[in-house]
């Protein structure tokens, strides 16, 4: 059955803000203003933004009175091989949302050149580095075990996590409890769409992402947080791990298993 796009009526001053975009069918540019956890330092102009499951984006786009504009999901050019593109959705294209603009619009101010000061760590003062190898069979060679703590971090510290995918298929990496900064994508500075507060990042095959994380949430040695691939069938098959946040000098406990995410239990 054909997918029918949603419809939104636009009435404010030629500018509208949307979440979860691919790009507009007419190729018009828009300004990316926020990612998963909040505002960018400054608006970034583009005509496409890539979002994997769990990632979010907020954009501002200029509209004209009376027009209709279609937001569309376009095929990806970094979704691994032809098999993955065909059967994993990488070559899908479909309409997502139609913006229907009123004949008369209320005034709307221009975007400011500066939006916010980022409150995510820059990697300075990191006390430790960790590496995470993404494979469908598990992360760092281990499938999810609800009774096991894989990593222990100290509350209030900053760490640098290096996430690598050499698995031949697309993955992404989502971390509970924190907003992180992407320091590098394949050894280079991240593109504008990855420079804001993030808790999820797409990691295509052959990609290495370096992330800076500061752990300021509650410490509880017996109740771990999770990191996982956010592609639903990957996490359901056990592509997840757990980390405990502890106070300095504490050790992680041994959880007996808890409700929520788990191998073959939830999304």
């Amino acid at each position: 059955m054909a997918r029918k796009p949603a419809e939104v009526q636009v009435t404010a001053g030629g500018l509208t803000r949307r979440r979860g975009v691919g790009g507009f069918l007419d190729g018009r540019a828009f300004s990316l203003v926020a990612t998963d956890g909040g505002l960018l330092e400054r608006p970034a102009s583009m005509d496409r933004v890539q979002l994997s499951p769990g990632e979010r984006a907020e954009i501002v786009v200029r509209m004209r009175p009376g027009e209709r504009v279609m937001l569309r999901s376009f095929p990806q050019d970094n979704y691994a091989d032809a098999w993955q593109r065909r059967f994993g959705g990488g070559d899908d294209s479909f309409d997502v949302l139609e913006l229907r603009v009123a004949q008369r619009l209320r005034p709307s101010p221009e975007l400011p050149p500066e939006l916010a000061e980022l409150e995510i760590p820059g990697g300075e003062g990191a006390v430790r580095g960790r590496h995470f190898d993404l494979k469908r069979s598990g992360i760092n060679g281990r499938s999810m075990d609800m009774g096991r703590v894989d990593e222990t971090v100290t509350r209030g510290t900053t760490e640098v996590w290096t996430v690598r995918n050499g698995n031949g298929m697309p993955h992404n990496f989502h971390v509970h409890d924190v907003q992180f900064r992407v320091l590098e994508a394949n050894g280079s500075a991240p593109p504008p769409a990855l420079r804001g507060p993030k808790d999820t990042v797409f990691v295509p095959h052959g990609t290495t992402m370096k992330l800076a994380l500061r752990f300021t949430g509650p410490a509880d040695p017996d109740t771990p947080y999770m990191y996982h691939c956010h592609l639903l069938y990957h996490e359901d098959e056990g592509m997840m791990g757990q980390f405990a946040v502890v106070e300095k000098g504490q050790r992680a406990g041994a959880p007996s298993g808890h409700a929520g995410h788990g191998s073959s239990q939830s999304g």
Side-chain angles (χ1 to χ4, degrees):
M1 184 172 62
R3 183 195 304 261
K4 183 179 179 181
E7 300 171 356
V8 171
Q9 184 79 11
V10 178
T11 60
L15 294 177
T16 184
R17 191 181 77 175
R18 307 305 317 157
R19 282 181 177 265
V21 310
F24 290 98
L25 194 56
D26 63 1
R28 70 180 59 198
F30 52 82
S31 294
L32 180 70
V33 297
T35 54
D36 306 353
L39 293 170
L40 301 178
E41 289 183 301
R42 57 189 61 87
S45 179
M46 57 190 68
D47 58 16
R48 299 278 177 90
V49 61
Q50 185 172 29
L51 299 174
S52 64
E55 289 184 283
R56 288 88 74 198
E58 294 193 13
I59 68 166
V60 175
V61 59
R62 174 67 64 183
M63 312 293 291
R64 294 184 296 273
E67 70 177 340
R68 294 188 178 189
V69 182
M70 186 65 71
L71 183 65
R72 188 168 180 80
S73 177
F74 291 94
Q76 299 174 227
D77 60 5
N78 60 348
Y79 207 76
D81 60 21
W83 176 270
Q84 293 293 330
R85 292 194 302 272
R86 175 64 182 87
F87 297 103
D91 60 1
D92 287 352
S93 185
F94 52 88
D95 294 337
V96 176
L97 177 74
E98 184 178 62
L99 301 178
R100 298 184 173 186
V101 187
Q103 294 297 329
R104 299 185 65 180
L105 299 175
R106 298 191 303 271
S108 184
E110 295 294 330
L111 283 173
E114 305 290 332
L115 297 174
E117 183 176 342
L118 295 184
E119 298 180 356
I120 48 178
E124 305 87 357
V127 300
R128 178 167 178 173
R130 301 179 195 263
H131 289 77
F132 298 85
D133 187 38
L134 305 184
K135 292 185 178 178
R136 186 172 170 183
S137 58
I139 298 177
N140 287 342
R142 293 182 289 188
S143 185
M144 178 65 173
D145 181 346
M146 299 294 286
R148 183 188 70 227
V149 173
D150 299 283
E151 310 288 345
T152 303
V153 304
T154 301
R155 191 174 76 87
T157 62
T158 297
E159 296 190 357
V160 172
W161 289 12
T162 301
V163 183
R164 178 182 178 274
N165 176 11
N167 194 206
M169 63 178 61
H171 295 302
N172 72 8
F173 193 69
H174 171 60
V175 186
H176 291 203
D177 181 49
V178 300
Q179 292 293 318
F180 55 73
R181 184 192 297 261
V182 179
L183 297 176
E184 295 178 6
N186 279 341
S188 299
L194 297 182
R195 294 178 188 170
K198 299 282 291 174
D199 55 47
T200 308
V201 65
F202 185 48
V203 190
H205 167 68
T207 298
T208 298
M209 295 286 184
K210 185 174 289 188
L211 318 174
L213 310 88
R214 181 181 298 122
F215 302 94
T216 58
D220 185 339
D222 300 316
T223 307
Y225 298 97
M226 296 186 181
Y227 52 85
H228 57 89
C229 178
H230 225 310
L231 276 68
L232 183 58
Y233 70 101
H234 291 184
E235 61 177 301
D236 276 358
E237 290 180 341
M239 196 175 168
M240 311 175 70
Q242 300 189 118
F243 68 97
V245 179
V246 301
E247 298 291 356
K248 186 175 181 179
Q250 275 189 318
R251 293 179 177 271
S256 58
H258 51 86
H261 287 292
S263 178
S264 302
Q265 295 179 15
S266 72

